[in-house]
Amino acid sequence: MLITSYNPSELGDTLITILRPDTATQTIETHANVTRISDADSGETLGYNFFDVSKTLGDLDANGQVHLTAEQVEQLNNLLKTNDFEPELILDTDPKFVVGYVESAESHPKSDHLQITKTNVGLDQPLQIVSGSPNMQADILVVVAKVGAMMPSGLIIWPGELRGVESDGMIVSGRELQLPNAPQRPGALILPADYQPVGAAFDFKRAQTLFTA
């Protein structure tokens, strides 16, 4: 997994790369303009910070999540090697916001407002996603933020548990996607039945007019 973000107004010319979720104890190692963050217990890399990254990638012209090209990932791996780090970045082109179909929605045994859904996102097996949306039900088309998605707020979706039940992804609202004129209240974005095929990458450009009067 490779999640990258660039926020020059807050962090300067620094590219943040995330490979794994944060852990309680971390080790930080810096060589020249590259910092590696790793799990202190397992030694696994959690991510890298690339300082003065424009010297390697040129002007990114971005503010928020960055979707790198294969060439850019190769350039960063070469920079890692130059600085005595493992060139372990792997290009991730799998769409993280996709159209999903809620096959079933059952009450959570330990909650009066959560539901456990089986949601088809075009994979061999449906995803189990726990949802607190008040309008959640079976037989609706929704938008799923899969594991590895970065929400517009900066929140990253990781595998987790809600009240002891595993949840692999998030069924999102128009408000959470920051779509124009989306209702500012909880509730899953329910798409028209023929909006896009199940499993397709969610069309953010088309969605800009979903809530127009």
Side-chain angles (χ1 to χ4, degrees):
M1 187 172 298
L2 179 60
I3 304 165
T4 55
S5 66
Y6 185 72
N7 188 343
S9 62
E10 297 292 332
L11 300 174
D13 188 23
T14 302
L15 182 73
I16 307 298
T17 66
I18 301 168
L19 280 65
R20 296 176 178 86
D22 279 341
T23 56
T25 56
Q26 301 178 1
T27 299
I28 297 175
E29 180 182 5
T30 299
H31 297 172
N33 60 345
V34 180
T35 293
R36 176 179 180 258
I37 302 98
S38 60
D39 181 354
D41 295 324
S42 70
E44 289 186 319
T45 301
L46 305 178
Y48 289 95
N49 296 342
F50 295 92
F51 304 100
D52 296 324
V53 71
S54 61
K55 294 179 180 178
T56 301
L57 300 183
D59 184 10
L60 288 174
D61 190 25
N63 187 19
Q65 186 171 14
V66 178
H67 299 284
L68 299 177
T69 66
E71 180 182 2
Q72 289 172 322
V73 171
E74 183 179 4
Q75 289 173 316
L76 292 176
N77 275 327
N78 287 335
L79 183 59
L80 289 175
K81 286 191 291 185
T82 299
N83 286 283
D84 298 320
F85 288 119
E86 186 71 21
E88 58 183 315
L89 304 184
I90 300 174
L91 181 67
D92 185 358
T93 59
D94 181 39
K96 297 299 186 291
F97 292 91
V98 300
V99 175
Y101 173 73
V102 181
E103 297 180 348
S104 64
E106 300 178 355
S107 297
H108 192 297
K110 297 181 180 179
S111 171
D112 60 2
H113 72 281
L114 295 176
Q115 295 191 66
I116 305 169
T117 77
K118 297 294 183 185
T119 302
N120 181 355
V121 293
L123 303 174
D124 293 337
Q125 294 290 332
L127 296 180
Q128 177 170 284
I129 300 176
V130 179
S131 173
S133 295
N135 60 343
M136 185 51 55
Q137 62 187 57
D139 195 29
I140 56 174
L141 208 63
V142 295
V143 181
V144 173
K146 294 166 60 178
V147 168
M150 177 180 281
M151 299 293 292
S153 66
L155 173 72
I156 297 175
I157 306 301
W158 298 111
E161 287 188 359
L162 285 172
R163 302 276 180 96
V165 175
E166 291 184 7
S167 184
D168 291 313
M170 179 179 177
I171 297 173
V172 298
S173 67
R175 173 174 58 95
E176 290 165 329
L177 294 175
Q178 297 183 5
L179 298 180
N181 303 311
Q184 297 302 298
R185 59 178 184 271
L189 169 57
I190 301 177
L191 298 170
D194 60 350
Y195 191 77
Q196 283 182 266
V198 171
F202 180 60
D203 189 339
F204 275 91
K205 184 176 181 180
R206 179 181 177 186
Q208 298 303 300
T209 58
L210 266 174
F211 295 100
T212 56

